[in-house]
Amino acid sequence: MTRSAGRSWLALAVYLGLAFGLSWLIALPLGVSGDGLEHPAFGAIALCMMLTPAIAALVTVFAIERPQHPAEALGLVPLRPAGRFLGYLGLGLAVPVTLIFAALIAGSVLGVYPADFVTFSAFHDLLTAQTGGGLSMPIGALVALQFVNVILGSILNLLPALGEELGWRGWLLPHLLRFGTVPAIVISGVVWGLWHAPLILLGYNYPTAPGWLGLLMMTGMCTLMGGVLAWLRIRSRSVWPAALAHGALNASIGLAVVFAQSGEDIDTVHATILGWSGWILPAVLIVVLIATQQFTWPPRATVRRRSFF
């Protein structure tokens, strides 16, 4: 093994050790207290967990690799050409929301998602319970406002999502591409999914499933959606579109309630982007992207000038 290869494997081991070790350490109070997801500090703990991949990437880059341009090694720069960068930011916002909404349609067609795309009965009942009376505007207008909330939520979620994406797509994915595109997507997706284990095993995202099944489902979802985020990272040469897409993914999960039928349960093993029915369109998209060679880095001359602004 050459010195360069040895350093590369060392960097990978340090990164994974820190990303997983810190996440389990931070989540430890959830299990020790016995409160699980009901722990009063759950929100803060989950937010801190999201920062661990970034911490791992920063330590690896500055302590192990020490590249000449650390920001570029993490995908934080360059931000030019501006047109390409802004275009992929737009895709980072639009694609996850489209896939999540399409997952609801697919689940409805397949009979695993109890949809109500006409009267939005579950959302109506939720709002009525929250307000204790009538609605301030027509239900259709309130539904439309949820998409505005998704856009705002995506922007607000950008920095927390960057805590993960700086690690997963900013640092890890480029280091795995030497094994090939498909292996890099699969490995990084599996790592991303398994990293969620401290929360998934407590019932997060899959409350009706046993822990092993929830973790298996989360890993499958992360592998497919990770492929979409990988495409944004590679084609833009930037981690920012992937971070925005991650934020949009988190912000739009709640649409499953907006379009659900009142009185029906939503089983996330089968329905929404978390369930198998929601994986169909992302899988098709990834196959098309691979077939059209959309996972190749664009020529450096077209995206990099010495200015990083």
Side-chain angles (χ1 to χ4, degrees):
M1 180 183 295
T2 66
R3 183 176 179 179
S4 176
R7 180 177 288 268
S8 179
W9 282 107
L10 174 62
L12 185 61
V14 169
Y15 170 77
L16 293 176
L18 285 174
F20 278 77
L22 289 174
S23 68
W24 276 96
L25 182 63
I26 291 171
L28 191 61
L30 300 179
V32 171
S33 67
D35 293 331
L37 303 181
E38 301 301 320
H39 193 285
F42 172 77
I45 290 173
L47 181 61
C48 289
M49 280 186 62
M50 292 182 71
L51 302 178
T52 60
I55 294 171
L58 291 170
V59 171
T60 303
V61 167
F62 285 99
I64 306 297
E65 296 180 316
R66 301 176 184 175
Q68 185 176 2
H69 301 290
E72 188 172 359
L74 291 166
L76 293 170
V77 294
L79 306 182
R80 285 189 173 183
R84 173 184 287 273
F85 178 69
L86 292 175
Y88 278 101
L89 279 179
L91 288 171
L93 182 62
V95 171
V97 179
T98 301
L99 291 176
I100 283 178
F101 186 68
L104 303 182
I105 297 175
S108 176
V109 171
L110 294 170
V112 295
Y113 172 67
D116 183 357
F117 295 117
V118 179
T119 64
F120 318 107
S121 53
F123 187 49
H124 184 281
D125 289 351
L126 176 64
L127 292 177
T128 301
Q130 290 177 343
T131 60
L135 303 182
S136 59
M137 61 180 68
I139 187 65
L142 291 171
V143 169
L145 284 176
Q146 298 313 300
F147 286 94
V148 177
N149 289 338
V150 165
I151 295 174
L152 296 176
S154 302
I155 296 172
L156 292 175
N157 285 335
L158 175 60
L159 290 181
L162 183 65
E164 288 194 44
E165 290 306 312
L166 201 63
W168 307 136
R169 256 61 61 175
W171 186 87
L172 180 62
L173 177 70
H175 283 69
L176 294 176
L177 284 173
R178 66 179 183 269
F179 301 117
T181 297
V182 174
I185 292 174
V186 172
I187 295 171
S188 61
V190 169
V191 168
W192 183 27
L194 293 177
W195 173 85
H196 289 87
L199 301 185
I200 301 300
L201 293 176
L202 293 174
Y204 189 70
N205 279 347
Y206 301 93
T208 63
W212 67 268
L213 179 57
L215 189 58
L216 179 64
M217 297 300 296
M218 189 68 183
T219 301
M221 190 278 292
C222 285
T223 301
L224 289 170
M225 290 305 297
V228 176
L229 301 185
W231 164 62
L232 293 170
R233 165 69 169 107
I234 291 171
R235 295 306 296 173
S236 68
R237 281 190 179 269
S238 171
V239 73
W240 292 103
L244 183 59
H246 193 146
L249 179 65
N250 291 345
S252 52
I253 286 291
L255 291 177
V257 177
V258 175
F259 297 100
Q261 185 177 346
S262 178
E264 298 291 335
D265 294 327
I266 301 173
D267 188 346
T268 50
V269 170
H270 303 285
T272 79
I273 197 69
L274 296 169
W276 62 265
S277 65
W279 300 353
I280 298 172
L281 188 56
V284 171
L285 176 60
I286 291 172
V287 169
V288 171
L289 292 174
I290 292 174
T292 55
Q293 299 183 337
Q294 291 300 305
F295 285 97
T296 56
W297 295 95
R300 183 175 291 273
T302 66
V303 300
R304 181 182 177 189
R305 298 175 184 174
R306 291 311 303 168
S307 171
F308 288 149
F309 302 95

